[in-house]
Amino acid sequence: MKKKLLILATAIMLALAGCGAKPTLAEWVETEEVTSIEDQLNTLYSSAGLRAEFSAEGSDILVFSCIYEQQLDFSGVSQEDIDASFKPQLEALSSTMTPIFDACESEIGVALSCIRVQFVNADNSVIYSYDFTK
């Protein structure tokens, strides 16, 4: 999973570098470059039953959603245990966040307030969310 997350960061930075005019964050997440990244990630994540999706919240929050294709049952699981189960994935991503913040600012002119990584159940309920800040 760590290797796949590093691929994500690299792909985002390449897509940002490929932008000509400076779009808004909401416009950028709808570009062909980002759609292509989502397609590549979805191919990588398909065996894990995950789908990737980028979106913008407001003008300065980049949201990366990992969406489970099958509903996961967390009944009886404490929030503390849920947090602990996602911690290794967040740790793997943490080193890739600063370059994404920097690339967004230099390439599309958006100073992100955070990059939100969220894990979403098949019913669209957010299981876990974490905001990376610069």
Side-chain angles (χ1 to χ4, degrees), residues 17-84:
C19 291
K22 295 191 183 223
T24 65
L25 186 60
E27 291 169 337
W28 178 75
V29 297
E30 298 298 325
T31 63
E32 185 176 317
E33 290 90 356
V34 175
T35 302
S36 176
I37 293 168
E38 286 175 344
D39 291 344
Q40 291 170 27
L41 290 172
N42 289 335
T43 298
L44 287 172
Y45 291 151
S46 66
S47 63
L50 289 170
R51 178 171 52 87
E53 185 177 288
F54 291 97
S55 60
E57 187 173 304
S59 62
D60 63 350
I61 299 174
L62 176 62
V63 180
F64 172 60
S65 299
C66 296
I67 305 163
Y68 289 92
E69 296 293 332
Q70 301 259 330
Q71 185 73 12
L72 301 178
D73 183 11
F74 285 97
S75 56
V77 180
S78 71
Q79 188 61 49
E80 185 176 283
D81 288 341
I82 292 171
D83 295 350

Side-chain angles (χ1 to χ4, degrees), residues 12-13 15-17 19 22-25 28-29 59-62 97-115 134:
I12 289 173
M13 288 184 289
L16 285 166
C19 291
K22 295 191 183 223
T24 65
L25 186 60
W28 178 75
V29 297
S59 62
D60 63 350
I61 299 174
L62 176 62
M97 291 297 133
T98 298
I100 295 170
F101 278 102
D102 294 344
C104 274
E105 191 162 1
S106 66
E107 301 298 331
I108 63 172
V110 175
L112 297 174
S113 63
C114 76
I115 299 171
K134 191 170 181 184

